[in-house]
Amino acid sequence: MPAAETCIRNARLSDAAAISQITSSYAGQGIMLKRTVENIIEDIRNFFVADYNGRVIGCCAIAFYTVRLAEIRSLAVLEEFRGTGIGRLLIEKAEGVLSEEGVKEVFVLTLNSGFFGQMRYTEIEKEYFPQKIWRDCTNCPKLMACDEIAMVKKF
Ligand SMILES: CC(C)(COP(=O)(O)OP(=O)(O)OC[C@H]1O[C@@H](n2cnc3c(N)ncnc32)[C@H](O)[C@@H]1OP(=O)(O)O)[C@@H](O)C(=O)NCCC(=O)NCCS
């Protein structure tokens, strides 16, 4: 079972290319926002990776907005490892770190409400959040036709 042998750790600069590869394949399918290697490097301290015997097979990132509000984003697991519990491990790691920081609400923008429902996130109107959380949207090709669902979990 990959999950039993997988460690979730802070990302290192040397993981940036692997993170980019994993997220790019889903960005190409329109499932998630594209992030360049440069952008991932800038944000590397906010990334976690799933390390399976030295191979990066999944990732996610956190973003802080206020002292009580944060986002989990860029969550992806390599196609061949999907459905093996890695996504759950990544979410649990990110939530643990956010909770330690005192964050009270975590949100996600996603097309995968099934998975996040399973992680006990609930749907919420996007208008609930302050405008400043939409900082990524300006570069999104779907800006005027956003189909992502906002979901939130309160700690
Ligand atoms: C979403 C994703 C990260 C989930 O990771 P994963 O490793 O496949 O998920 P897990 O195996 O950890 O699943 C955890 C639980 O969620 C359930 N689940 C997974 N995907 C689901 C879905 N689409 N709908 C409903 N439940 C789902 C699993 O059955 C499992 O339930 P269980 O613990 O009761 O058995 C992964 O499928 C992925 O990379 N998808 C493509 C990119 C994407 O959609 N990212 C999210 C963008 S915000």
Side-chain angles (χ1 to χ4, degrees):
M1 272 295 287
E5 295 164 43
T6 298
C7 98
I8 308 296
R9 59 167 175 80
N10 294 329
R12 299 191 276 265
L13 276 177
S14 55
D15 300 319
I19 294 171
S20 171
Q21 264 180 7
I22 298 171
T23 53
S24 295
S25 69
Y26 294 121
Q29 297 169 36
I31 296 175
M32 56 194 296
L33 202 59
K34 182 167 172 54
R35 301 195 66 168
T36 62
V37 178
E38 294 72 23
N39 176 247
I40 292 164
I41 287 171
E42 275 172 18
D43 201 21
I44 199 75
R45 291 279 181 232
N46 289 317
F47 267 95
F48 303 103
V49 293
D51 181 326
Y52 177 52
N53 294 330
R55 181 178 175 200
V56 172
I57 61 168
C59 61
C60 75
I62 54 178
F64 295 100
Y65 290 89
T66 71
V67 289
R68 50 175 300 127
L69 178 67
E71 177 185 11
I72 295 178
R73 57 188 184 164
S74 302
L75 171 71
V77 172
L78 269 182
E79 193 80 49
E80 66 189 280
F81 292 97
R82 281 171 71 172
T84 64
I86 307 298
R88 180 189 287 280
L89 290 179
L90 283 160
I91 289 290
E92 287 174 353
K93 173 71 175 184
E95 288 177 353
V97 169
L98 295 176
S99 176
E100 273 174 29
E101 289 290 344
V103 164
K104 303 291 181 223
E105 282 184 307
V106 185
F107 75 92
V108 294
L109 292 171
T110 186
L111 297 175
N112 196 338
S113 57
F115 171 76
F116 283 103
Q118 199 70 12
M119 299 295 110
R120 291 186 288 114
Y121 284 70
T122 52
E123 277 188 44
I124 192 161
E125 293 295 322
K126 290 184 192 136
E127 292 68 32
Y128 172 82
F129 296 110
Q131 201 59 30
K132 68 178 186 177
I133 75 162
W134 308 114
R135 61 190 175 199
D136 280 346
C137 300
T138 41
N139 297 323
C140 179
K142 295 188 193 169
L143 176 61
M144 302 314 284
C146 176
D147 51 0
E148 294 204 315
I149 297 163
M151 299 182 80
V152 72
K153 186 182 211 174
K154 296 183 195 250
F155 294 147

